[in-house]
Amino acid sequence: MEATLDNLGFWAFSHSIVIPRLLDGMLITLKLTAISGIIGFALGMIIALMRISRLKILNYISLFYITLFRGTPLLLQILFIYFAVPTLLDINLDSMPAGIIALSLNCAAYLAEIFRAGILSIPKGQMEAAKALGLSHTQTMFKIIIPQTYRRIIPPVVNEFSALTKETSLVSVISLGELLYVTQRIGAKYLRVWEVYIWAALGYLIIVLLLSYVASRLERSLELKGGV
Amino acid sequence: MIKSNEVIFKISNLEKSFGSNLVLKNISTDIHKGEVVVVIGPSGSGKSTFLRCLNHLEAPTGGEIFFKDECIVHRRKEKDLDLLRSKIGMVFQSFNLFPHLRVLENLTIAPLNVLDIPKEEAHARALDFLKKVGLIEKIHAYPRELSGGQQQRVAIARALCMQPEAMLFDEATSALDPELVGEVLKVMKDLATSGMTMVVVTHEMNFAKEVADRVIFMDGGVIVEEGHPRDLFENPKEKRTQDFLRKL
């Protein structure tokens, strides 16, 4: 007697159908988060440095960037980059690069403000002491000021990364096979809804918890080094 | 007593204002090589601002300052200012050690990155000056593991590692617990004896009496009176100086 898909129990259905496919989706979600996070981090740092630069023009460019990406919905940004940009520039853009670009650009705007706040939180005396020793502005920023911000920006950066993890679900609208997209497809195909969504929720939770765990380890190891 | 004819700082008609607030007016004086000049005066008299103008941490709004033969006020490029500051050591009231670096790294970061000297030489210098301030055993400590007095001694050693031609002290003992003031003053006295050119803003009148070659009394952004400590402390000519010294 062969069990049909319709009368499979919760565990059997989860085990044979849902979990293997969701794991594929989860991998895509992880990939999206990691790549967008890394690009966003680097870009965010550049924008933060532009924001506090002594060159007015850089201030304005970065302020415009931050305002634009924080002031419009991420969903709109994703759709714009996937549908509008290829038309405007007459290029082909797959959903994966489009998703990564949108998430990175968006994430960078938020991280830039976190970095800027971190840099501004370092007492003025540090900058003066470094200058008084003859260190250049660039040396002072990269060797004295920015290293002191690492530990204090970990909590808000982790916050941003866990937001990013969950926001990757928005790229399901451009048919990118990440966790939520896969979930919706299975749900529709087998007409079983609550099982698939429970597993999807668990998938996001696991990624975010992993992230928090790594962050707390990192925070503790930095604490051992001088406590700044 | 002028120890040398070589002028390190030549200050003429120095003026500094923050917005409409004029904090330094018409300051003129020369500081000679090897001279220890102590600047005293009430809070808000402009003495710290004066000191900070000497290494251009504050940009003067008028007048001129020469460091040796270079004018350090007009048309300065960022690079020239960095070079100037590398030749002038500064010690701050709040120590300002770099908390993320160990003592050794605090001492070597500027020699390595500004003077571009080899690592071995920077280490040797750091050890030498740490010995001089009596903290060789703290070489691998982080700043937060040190007392205020120890931190300030490390800060002095950090400045000395650049082998500066002059040292500026901005109320170096004001943030210390009373029992820790002595150890820092001793290091400063040793430094004065060794012939370092020093400009010291302080409230420690005994230091001024014992160590200074010249004392400058400032009030309201001007130099009210200057002279040998014996003359200035025992026979102040100006009424404002007399009033200030009487209140101590």
Side-chain angles (χ1 to χ4, degrees):
Chain A
M1 209 162 68
E2 210 175 289
T4 64
L5 285 171
D6 286 340
N7 55 27
L8 272 182
F10 172 74
W11 289 111
F13 178 61
S14 299
H15 183 72
S16 60
I17 310 283
V18 184
I19 293 175
R21 301 198 191 176
L22 289 199
L23 277 176
D24 290 343
M26 219 168 130
L27 272 179
I28 305 277
T29 293
L30 266 173
K31 191 172 153 191
L32 269 172
T33 309
I35 297 176
S36 311
I38 289 166
I39 298 174
F41 195 92
L43 187 61
M45 185 55 86
I46 294 169
I47 293 162
L49 288 172
M50 287 168 67
R51 189 88 171 75
I52 55 170
S53 160
R54 287 161 297 177
L55 282 175
K56 276 271 175 294
I57 179 77
L58 296 182
N59 296 164
Y60 291 131
I61 294 171
S62 54
L63 184 61
F64 174 75
Y65 180 94
I66 292 167
T67 310
L68 184 68
F69 280 92
R70 292 201 313 178
T72 55
L74 175 57
L75 186 56
L76 186 147
Q77 293 162 21
I78 292 167
L79 293 171
F80 188 87
I81 287 167
Y82 185 61
F83 291 115
V85 169
T87 319
L88 285 171
L89 302 180
D90 200 19
I91 50 167
N92 281 319
L93 198 57
D94 286 342
S95 58
M96 187 66 172
I100 287 173
I101 292 170
L103 291 168
S104 309
L105 293 179
N106 183 272
C107 174
Y110 287 91
L111 286 174
E113 287 296 271
I114 292 171
F115 296 151
R116 185 173 72 100
I119 289 168
L120 294 181
S121 76
I122 304 301
K124 213 173 136 232
Q126 290 292 309
M127 178 69 98
E128 289 186 346
K131 267 192 186 174
L133 285 165
L135 290 164
S136 72
H137 186 75
T138 313
Q139 287 173 330
T140 303
M141 285 313 289
F142 285 95
K143 289 179 189 289
I144 306 297
I145 306 296
I146 293 174
Q148 291 186 51
T149 67
Y150 293 158
R151 207 171 75 95
R152 37 184 107 184
I153 62 170
I154 288 177
V157 167
V158 170
N159 206 11
E160 175 54 27
F161 279 170
S162 52
L164 174 68
T165 307
K166 292 168 284 178
E167 281 161 357
T168 56
S169 61
L170 288 174
V171 300
S172 58
V173 296
I174 55 172
S175 311
L176 183 51
E178 49 65 65
L179 186 50
L180 187 67
Y181 182 78
V182 176
T183 306
Q184 288 171 323
R185 292 292 294 267
I186 304 172
K189 186 171 174 191
Y190 298 99
L191 297 173
R192 295 178 71 152
V193 179
W194 66 271
E195 292 102 324
V196 289
Y197 282 104
I198 282 180
W199 285 112
L202 202 63
Y204 283 109
L205 260 176
I206 288 168
I207 298 176
V208 172
L209 286 176
L210 254 157
L211 188 69
S212 315
Y213 174 74
V214 172
S216 72
R217 288 294 297 266
L218 188 65
E219 210 170 334
R220 217 169 310 147
S221 78
L222 284 173
E223 193 169 6
L224 299 175
K225 293 188 189 170
V228 284
Chain B
M1 179 184 66
I2 290 170
K3 291 187 172 179
S4 155
N5 286 327
E6 192 185 337
V7 177
I8 298 288
F9 287 109
K10 183 172 183 58
I11 300 131
S12 48
N13 303 316
L14 173 65
E15 204 180 279
K16 173 68 184 175
S17 56
F18 294 104
S20 60
N21 185 16
L22 194 59
V23 290
L24 291 180
K25 293 166 223 167
N26 211 12
I27 305 269
S28 296
T29 190
D30 290 351
I31 292 163
H32 292 82
K33 191 177 166 79
E35 201 182 10
V36 177
V37 175
V38 172
V39 185
I40 60 170
S43 306
S45 60
K47 53 193 194 302
S48 280
T49 307
F50 165 65
L51 194 72
R52 291 161 59 86
C53 283
L54 294 183
N55 67 349
H56 214 280
L57 275 187
E58 301 289 355
T61 44
E64 280 177 335
I65 301 174
F66 283 87
F67 174 70
K68 299 171 96 181
D69 292 327
E70 288 176 84
C71 179
I72 66 169
V73 177
H74 301 296
R75 296 187 297 275
R76 299 293 301 190
K77 279 193 230 128
E78 196 74 23
K79 257 198 176 144
D80 299 335
L81 286 178
D82 295 338
L83 183 67
L84 165 81
R85 294 194 184 108
S86 72
K87 297 177 193 166
I88 304 170
M90 188 164 197
V91 177
F92 299 85
Q93 182 176 352
S94 48
F95 328 135
N96 297 347
L97 290 182
F98 305 131
H100 62 304
L101 301 177
R102 294 174 192 274
V103 167
L104 178 64
E105 297 159 326
N106 263 281
L107 266 57
T108 56
I109 188 160
L112 288 175
N113 290 287
V114 179
L115 304 179
D116 266 328
I117 62 173
K119 212 171 177 181
E120 298 74 38
E121 197 186 331
H123 277 212
R125 263 190 208 184
L127 291 177
D128 188 28
F129 286 114
L130 267 186
K131 260 180 222 152
K132 285 198 174 126
V133 301
L135 286 170
I136 194 76
E137 75 281 5
K138 298 292 184 188
I139 188 160
H140 295 302
Y142 280 103
R144 65 161 180 177
E145 296 159 359
L146 306 178
S147 72
Q150 291 171 334
Q151 288 193 44
Q152 195 60 298
R153 281 146 68 197
V154 171
I156 295 171
R158 176 175 70 177
L160 291 175
C161 279
M162 291 296 285
Q163 301 187 327
E165 299 185 41
M167 286 280 286
L168 312 176
F169 291 84
D170 190 5
E171 304 203 18
T173 56
S174 300
L176 296 173
D177 291 341
E179 76 270 22
L180 302 177
V181 170
E183 62 187 70
V184 173
L185 289 180
K186 183 182 173 300
V187 170
M188 289 167 66
K189 271 180 210 171
D190 291 347
L191 194 60
T193 317
S194 75
M196 176 63 77
T197 309
M198 292 165 63
V199 185
V200 182
V201 168
T202 187
H203 293 293
E204 295 292 330
M205 295 306 151
N206 285 328
F207 179 84
K209 282 174 197 163
E210 286 172 40
V211 183
D213 296 310
R214 178 156 53 109
V215 176
I216 293 177
F217 171 67
M218 285 181 70
D219 192 15
V222 297
I223 294 181
V224 176
E225 189 169 351
E226 61 179 311
H228 190 276
R230 196 178 41 241
D231 301 332
L232 193 126
F233 283 111
E234 282 161 28
N235 267 319
K237 292 186 197 73
E238 299 290 329
K239 189 171 177 307
R240 271 194 286 174
T241 320
Q242 294 163 3
D243 289 345
F244 176 74
L245 292 173
R246 201 177 307 126
K247 282 189 214 132
L248 293 175

